[in-house]
Amino acid sequence: MDYGILLSTAKTILNKEENKIEHKLQELCDLLQQSVEHYDWVGFYFANQEEKTLHLGPYAGLPTDHTVIPFGKGICGQVAVSNNTFLVDDVTAQDNYISCNINVKAEIVVPLFVSGQNVGQIDIDSNTLNAFTSEDRLFLEKMNEEIARLF
Ligand code: SME
């Protein structure tokens, strides 16, 4: 996968004038899930700072029961608190993990910062062990910087 080309395609989607943010993020989820073989589920969660919860936004892949996740719970909830990207090679090795689907083996969660505040995250699940590398991390961190411009 050429992440440079994927990032340009993502920018084209994000820079479209006519679309709502939700539509752009949905298009982005569909693009990533279809373009990268090891991205089996791609979705966004957004933070409610008062309630300290994450809420599922646009996603591509199987539906999940986990549409609301408290801060601190699971990989997603931990990223809401730590403000750091969390790359999981093997989800069975994690105590604080919320399973959305028994086929998932690895996960990466990258926080989305808007004006320095952690407002949400992109969450990607893979059905392949050790699926994610620093290349995925860099690509997704750059993509989130582009998304942040829309807010
Ligand atoms: N596995 C995540 C929950 C979200 S699902 O992957 C869609 C977690 O542990 O936070």
Side-chain angles (χ1 to χ4, degrees):
M1 170 48 52
D2 186 326
Y3 288 99
I5 292 175
L6 199 55
L7 189 63
S8 322
T9 312
K11 281 185 196 171
T12 306
I13 292 171
L14 294 170
N15 292 333
K16 282 186 189 173
E17 294 282 336
E18 71 276 20
N19 272 345
K20 285 186 167 175
I21 290 185
E22 290 78 20
H23 294 163
K24 292 181 185 187
L25 295 183
Q26 183 63 59
E27 218 181 307
L28 208 56
C29 289
D30 294 337
L31 170 78
L32 296 188
Q33 198 239 8
Q34 285 159 23
S35 310
V36 187
E37 212 179 335
H38 60 284
Y39 291 6
D40 291 293
W41 190 94
V42 179
F44 288 90
Y45 282 92
F46 290 97
N48 179 319
Q49 302 293 347
E50 287 77 42
E51 293 179 7
K52 303 212 177 302
T53 46
L54 290 164
H55 297 259
L56 183 63
Y59 70 91
L62 294 176
T64 173
D65 290 339
H66 302 286
T67 55
V68 181
I69 299 175
F71 281 15
K73 299 274 184 197
I75 307 304
C76 295
Q78 290 177 78
V79 169
V81 176
S82 73
N83 302 322
N84 291 316
T85 293
F86 200 152
L87 195 163
V88 180
D89 289 331
D90 175 1
V91 296
T92 63
Q94 294 292 323
D95 298 333
N96 189 358
Y97 168 72
I98 300 167
S99 173
C100 283
N101 170 335
I102 52 157
N103 297 316
V104 175
K105 303 275 198 308
E107 178 164 11
I108 187 168
V109 178
V110 179
L112 173 63
F113 296 103
V114 175
S115 307
Q117 193 181 15
N118 182 351
V119 301
Q121 50 193 236
I122 186 166
D123 175 19
I124 303 186
D125 288 339
S126 183
N127 299 344
T128 306
L129 264 181
N130 302 307
F132 302 106
T133 67
S134 54
E135 240 193 328
D136 295 287
R137 169 196 288 256
L138 285 175
F139 163 64
L140 296 167
E141 287 176 352
K142 278 190 200 150
M143 204 188 61
N144 274 2
E145 283 172 22
E146 297 298 325
I147 293 170
R149 295 172 201 266
L150 302 179
F151 286 80

